Amino acid sequence: MILLEKQQTGIACEYYVAGELSRLGYNVSLTFGNTKSIDLLIEKDDKTLAIQVKGIQRTKSICWNIDKTKIKPNIMYVLVNLHVDRIEDKPEFFILTSQEVLERFINSPKQGEKRTYLDYNRVRNDTTAKNNWLKIEKTLESFSSI
């Protein structure tokens, strides 16, 4: 079984999301750095949007983690499951607004909002999030042009 290091998982997820967004007609720029809060910047029709990508690598991975205190409005979140343990399966994408992240991620008992999680099993069949790339289009449409 393939097992990726944490950094490999993050990079692979960012590139998968960038590829999907490019395929959908967005201009995509990747940001670089170890403690960044924005992974991708996308542009279409003179409107820009920041994207934060969170990834897990295995089908049986438990959850995505996030620090709710760092959630910012007007950032979209794309959660990715790479399924490296089932290489025949394609990665799954779940698109959430910052408000949805605040509502769906559960605070951990010891660290509260500093360490929250969203269980993969709670979102994997959620049609409002799974592969809902239209949510990004609608968010961009709500912005005024640059």
Side-chain angles (χ1 to χ4, degrees):
M1 177 176 74
I2 299 169
L3 186 61
L4 302 177
E5 292 182 23
K6 183 178 179 180
Q7 185 177 13
Q8 289 174 303
T9 299
I11 291 169
C13 291
E14 289 173 22
Y15 278 101
Y16 265 112
V17 173
E20 284 296 305
L21 290 166
S22 293
R23 188 177 70 84
L24 294 169
Y26 295 96
N27 296 312
V28 180
S29 295
L30 282 91
T31 64
F32 296 98
N34 289 336
T35 59
K36 56 189 182 178
S37 62
I38 297 170
D39 294 312
L40 308 171
L41 285 172
I42 63 169
E43 182 275 335
K44 189 174 189 180
D45 300 327
D46 291 327
K47 297 176 183 177
T48 59
L49 180 64
I51 307 286
Q52 176 68 37
V53 178
K54 294 292 182 184
I56 55 177
Q57 60 176 290
R58 293 182 300 246
T59 304
K60 294 184 179 185
S61 292
I62 299 169
C63 60
W64 294 275
N65 294 303
I66 200 162
D67 180 345
K68 275 189 187 178
T69 64
K70 294 183 179 178
I71 302 294
K72 297 176 183 143
N74 298 326
I75 294 180
M76 295 294 292
Y77 291 79
V78 180
L79 311 179
V80 183
N81 188 334
L82 290 175
H83 295 296
V84 297
D85 54 337
R86 294 186 359 205
I87 206 68
E88 68 280 359
D89 289 354
K90 298 213 182 281
E92 287 179 290
F93 304 96
F94 304 90
I95 296 85
L96 301 172
T97 65
S98 54
Q99 186 59 42
E100 289 171 325
V101 168
L102 289 170
E103 292 168 0
R104 294 178 185 208
F105 274 69
I106 298 167
N107 294 352
S108 66
K110 292 182 181 178
Q111 294 181 322
E113 289 190 344
K114 294 286 289 170
R115 180 83 170 164
T116 67
Y117 64 92
L118 178 60
D119 189 315
Y120 169 66
N121 290 316
R122 285 189 60 211
V123 74
R124 70 178 183 175
N125 295 317
D126 182 349
T127 57
T128 67
K130 188 173 183 176
N131 294 319
N132 191 356
W133 299 102
L134 187 59
K135 194 181 288 187
I136 289 174
E137 183 74 26
K138 287 180 181 180
T139 300
L140 267 180
E141 286 174 1
S142 71
F143 295 165
S144 58
S145 296
I146 317 177

